[in-house]
């Protein structure tokens, strides 16, 4: 699998599946979640409401993933995953890793070959960028998946630089 980095807007990525850093309600929010729902249009929200009325009545648990249409995005699907809120006194890194593994599992079920991820939990959920990047890159690198390209789409130069520094360290180790 190829792991690539892009600085930009995840809602413009032409991939099979875009991963949404969702909130547990699945009904939209701020940050990446708001951007995906806003640009993707009402089709995404309609499917999320159907999920809430059926299989996810209590919302989507942290670390899990579920797919919907991508609506008006240039992708086929949105894979929604709920990242953990960072808590300095509690190790929640397994939940953050689960977001990436579960998203790739759902991608495999869909037959997605290319998947774009944001930096999950690094916005309002407060996860330090360097630690989130390490967990994301380690988890995706170790995953058994049919996905051929994982693209991390980083919104700003700081996030891109952090992921790039770490991916370069991984490249030197191999």
């Amino acid at each position: 699998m190829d792991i690539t980095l892009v600085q930009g807007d995840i809602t413009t990525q032409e991939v099979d599946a875009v991963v949404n850093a969702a909130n547990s309600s699945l009904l939209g929010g701020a940050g990446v979640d708001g951007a995906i729902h806003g640009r993707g249009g009402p089709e995404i929200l309609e499917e999320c409401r159907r999920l809430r009325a059926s299989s996810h009545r209590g919302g989507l648990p942290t670390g899990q993933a579920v797919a919907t249409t991508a609506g008006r995005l240039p992708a086929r699907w949105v894979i929604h995953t709920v990242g953990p809120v960072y808590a300095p006194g509690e190790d929640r890194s397994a939940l953050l890793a689960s977001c990436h593994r579960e998203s790739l599992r759902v991608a495999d079920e869909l037959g997605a070959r290319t998947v774009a991820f944001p930096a999950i939990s690094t916005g309002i959920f407060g996860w330090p960028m360097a630690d989130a990047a390490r967990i994301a890159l380690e988890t995706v690198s170790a995953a058994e998946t049919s996905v051929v390209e994982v693209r991390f789409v980083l919104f700003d130069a700081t996030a891109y630089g952090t992921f790039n520094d770490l991916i370069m360290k991984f490249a030197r180790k191999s």
Side-chain angles (χ1 to χ4, degrees):
M1 162 191 10
D2 288 332
I3 299 174
T4 59
L5 305 178
V6 174
Q7 183 182 334
D9 180 349
I10 198 164
T11 68
T12 65
Q13 299 302 302
E14 294 183 13
V15 292
D16 294 328
V18 169
V19 175
N20 180 18
N23 66 52
S24 63
S25 77
L26 293 175
L27 301 177
V32 170
D33 196 18
I36 286 174
H37 276 271
R39 178 142 184 190
E43 299 87 351
I44 297 171
L45 184 57
E46 287 171 21
E47 275 199 45
C48 286
R49 284 186 174 138
R50 282 194 289 276
L51 287 169
R52 286 299 308 267
S54 60
S55 59
H56 290 85
R57 289 186 184 273
L60 185 64
T62 302
Q64 298 300 305
V66 66
T68 65
T69 181
R72 300 172 188 163
L73 297 176
R76 293 179 65 191
W77 301 286
V78 174
I79 299 172
H80 306 268
T81 190
V82 180
V85 174
Y86 181 70
E90 181 182 345
D91 183 6
R92 297 180 178 174
S93 57
L95 287 169
L96 185 55
S98 180
C99 290
H100 295 87
R101 269 193 310 277
E102 285 295 303
S103 294
L104 290 173
R105 179 190 61 75
V106 170
D108 284 338
E109 288 176 359
L110 295 168
R113 308 285 285 162
T114 55
V115 178
F117 278 90
I120 298 170
S121 287
T122 61
I124 196 166
F125 286 3
W127 207 285
M129 187 63 69
D131 195 43
R134 177 191 59 78
I135 292 166
L137 291 167
E138 285 178 355
T139 303
V140 166
S141 295
E144 292 188 24
T145 181
S146 296
V147 171
V148 297
E149 181 194 0
V150 167
R151 185 180 308 167
F152 286 97
V153 182
L154 297 315
F155 189 71
D156 63 24
T158 301
Y160 180 88
T162 301
F163 270 75
N164 193 51
D165 289 348
L166 286 171
I167 206 165
M168 298 306 270
K169 288 178 185 176
F170 284 138
R172 280 196 287 268
K173 287 183 182 178
S174 37

